[in-house]
Amino acid sequence: MRTTEEVLKDHLELSKKGSIEEDLQKNFSKDLILLTTHGIYKGHEGLRELNKMLIKDFPEAEFNYINFLFEDEIAFLEWTAYSDSSQIDDGADSYIVREGLIIAQTIHYTIRK
């Protein structure tokens, strides 16, 4: 069974590559719950929808992962992102990982133009 840290690092690597479908299959529960700045999303389809929204609102962004904290099945990530036209300075995600899959995630960020 993969640890919380292993799952999250794999998720971030696949996310940077744009491999959303592989990431969903390897790292996320089909019963995923996402609590975000934009509302509540569920399952793989919910994550696909959020991913499309971020790509539309923030194309060709470069993400920087600042702080990782891991404890048992809980993880916290602080991040920033930059593109030619905008930036995110306050990205913060929390995760719950159970049995090698992310079962819950919170996502917060503000896009500044």
Side-chain angles (χ1 to χ4, degrees):
M1 187 70 57
R2 295 181 305 157
T3 67
T4 297
E5 183 174 1
E6 290 168 334
V7 171
L8 185 54
K9 285 184 176 180
D10 190 44
H11 157 59
L12 295 176
E13 187 64 34
L14 291 171
S15 183
K16 272 191 171 184
K17 291 179 184 176
S19 301
I20 182 76
E21 291 304 318
E22 184 179 358
D23 191 18
L24 284 170
Q25 298 307 313
K26 288 179 69 178
N27 297 313
F28 289 90
S29 167
K30 291 181 182 184
D31 298 322
L32 172 68
I33 301 294
L34 297 145
L35 306 175
T36 78
T37 305
H38 305 289
I40 298 172
Y41 297 82
K42 296 181 180 180
H44 287 184
E45 197 53 45
L47 189 55
R48 283 184 190 102
E49 187 177 339
L50 281 173
N51 187 60
K52 287 177 189 174
M53 185 185 317
L54 183 59
I55 290 170
K56 179 181 173 244
D57 291 343
F58 204 62
E60 299 181 25
E62 179 181 327
F63 289 83
N64 301 301
Y65 305 127
I66 298 169
N67 188 22
F68 292 99
L69 299 173
F70 305 94
E71 184 66 34
D72 295 322
E73 56 182 33
I74 299 172
F76 176 72
L77 171 66
E78 288 180 283
W79 54 275
T80 60
Y82 302 90
S83 73
D84 289 339
S85 61
S86 53
Q87 67 187 46
I88 296 172
D89 296 317
D90 63 348
D93 297 1
S94 297
Y95 303 83
I96 298 175
V97 176
R98 199 165 286 149
E99 297 179 7
L101 295 172
I102 299 166
I103 64 164
Q105 180 178 355
T106 66
I107 304 169
H108 167 77
Y109 62 88
T110 307
I111 297 175
R112 294 185 329 156
K113 304 265 181 189

